[in-house]
């Protein structure tokens, strides 16, 4: 099996990536596996800039084909907040405080349209890279609901499903999520041999 280094310390994401890549004959290795315990500062203005920076720094350091992702929530009524800053929206940056702040900011707002974005960058040592974006559209609810997922999932009503993201099982979420959609595009290109790792 060939190896792909995934630029994450999040073991939840690793389960998702291994489920997608193992059937194609690729083994996913995490930053924990290679002993990387530092941090790549995400100071980019776009999801692409952050994902590219992470993939490049890690890929060059370990001389391995490296996949990085950056994601976040875009809320139409709050165009200059969230986005690449989704993780640090509230002062504490906890999921709970982020959700409370979002509800407060949208209290008198009728336009609740929102979407999640996931940007993937697959980087090869030397400079070649491929990038993919996935999205999922929905609306921000007026209260929290659901026990699954993380982050803004309890507030996000998925278009067409009329359910919160946090009401979907992990498998259901992967099928429709921004990360799932970006990953599907990458996997399709690997299967069609547009991309060779
Ligand atoms: P990162 O890509 O891991 O840096 O994620 C950035 C932030 O975006 C997270 O901390 C969450 O607040 C938000 N986010 C990204 N993906 C999701 C998701 O699938 N559900 C809920 N929140 C998400």
């Amino acid at each position: 099996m060939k190896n792909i280094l995934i630029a994450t310390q999040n073991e939840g994401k690793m389960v998702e990536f291994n489920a997608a890549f193992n059937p194609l004959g690729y083994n996913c290795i995490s930053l924990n596996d290679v002993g990387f315990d530092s941090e790549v500062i995400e100071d980019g203005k776009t999801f692409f800039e952050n994902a590219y920076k992470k993939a490049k720094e890690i890929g060059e350091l370990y001389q391995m084909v490296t996949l990085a992702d950056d994601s976040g929530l875009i809320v139409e009524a709050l165009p200059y907040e969230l986005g690449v800053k989704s993780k640090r929206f509230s002062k504490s940056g906890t999921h709970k405080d982020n959700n409370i702040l979002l509800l407060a900011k949208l209290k008198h707002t009728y336009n609740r349209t929102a979407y999640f974005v996931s940007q993937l960058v697959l980087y090869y040592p030397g400079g070649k890279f491929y990038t993919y974006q996935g999205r999922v559209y929905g609306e921000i609810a007026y209260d929290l609901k659901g026990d699954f997922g993380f982050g803004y999932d309890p507030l996000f009503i998925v278009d067409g499903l009329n359910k919160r993201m946090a009401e979907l099982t992990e498998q259901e979420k992967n099928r429709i999520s921004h990360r799932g959609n970006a990953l599907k595009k990458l996997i399709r290109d690997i299967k069609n041999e547009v991309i060779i790792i």
Side-chain angles (χ1 to χ4, degrees), residues 116-172:
F116 281 113
V117 174
S118 165
Q119 190 79 38
L120 294 178
V121 171
L122 183 73
Y123 182 89
Y124 296 65
K128 188 170 81 169
F129 72 90
Y130 297 92
T131 187
Y132 298 87
Q133 190 179 90
R135 293 184 179 192
V136 57
Y137 285 85
E139 283 187 4
I140 303 302
Y142 287 87
D143 58 5
L144 297 153
K145 197 173 170 187
D147 301 317
F148 300 119
F150 70 100
Y152 300 95
D153 285 348
L155 283 181
F156 191 85
I157 307 168
V158 183
D159 270 1
L161 293 184
N162 219 8
K163 270 187 182 179
R164 306 293 170 89
M165 195 73 107
E167 292 180 280
L168 307 181
T169 63
E170 201 174 306
Q171 272 179 332
E172 286 171 331

Side-chain angles (χ1 to χ4, degrees), residues 13 70-72 86-87 116 150-153 173 178-179:
K13 281 188 188 174
D70 194 43
S71 57
S86 296
K87 209 191 285 188
F116 281 113
F150 70 100
Y152 300 95
D153 285 348
K173 181 177 169 181
H178 44 315
R179 232 179 327 278

Side-chain angles (χ1 to χ4, degrees), residues 35-130:
F36 181 85
D37 56 3
S38 172
E39 205 189 338
V40 177
I41 307 292
E42 295 182 15
D43 53 3
K45 287 190 192 67
T46 62
F47 295 114
F48 170 76
E49 276 182 46
N50 283 335
Y52 177 77
K53 184 181 179 195
K54 262 187 283 186
K56 184 178 178 186
E57 278 190 28
I58 300 293
E60 292 296 346
L61 183 62
Y62 290 99
Q63 289 295 302
M64 285 180 69
V65 177
T66 300
L67 182 66
D69 87 305
D70 194 43
S71 57
L73 178 69
I74 310 276
V75 174
E76 241 183 45
L78 303 170
Y80 305 110
E81 303 182 51
L82 296 146
V84 287
K85 297 177 286 187
S86 296
K87 209 191 285 188
R88 304 167 296 274
F89 181 47
S90 65
K91 218 173 196 176
S92 75
T94 64
H95 295 320
K96 187 176 168 222
D97 286 351
N98 286 347
N99 283 327
I100 290 170
L101 181 62
L102 183 53
L103 278 177
K105 289 215 178 204
L106 292 180
K107 198 170 175 188
H108 303 293
T109 304
Y110 178 71
N111 178 7
R112 323 276 303 184
T113 302
Y115 57 93
F116 281 113
V117 174
S118 165
Q119 190 79 38
L120 294 178
V121 171
L122 183 73
Y123 182 89
Y124 296 65
K128 188 170 81 169
F129 72 90
Y130 297 92

Side-chain angles (χ1 to χ4, degrees), residues 6-12 14 30-32 36-40:
I6 312 288
T8 186
Q9 277 135 332
N10 180 333
E11 290 303 323
M14 288 307 292
S30 75
L31 290 180
N32 299 331
F36 181 85
D37 56 3
S38 172
E39 205 189 338
V40 177

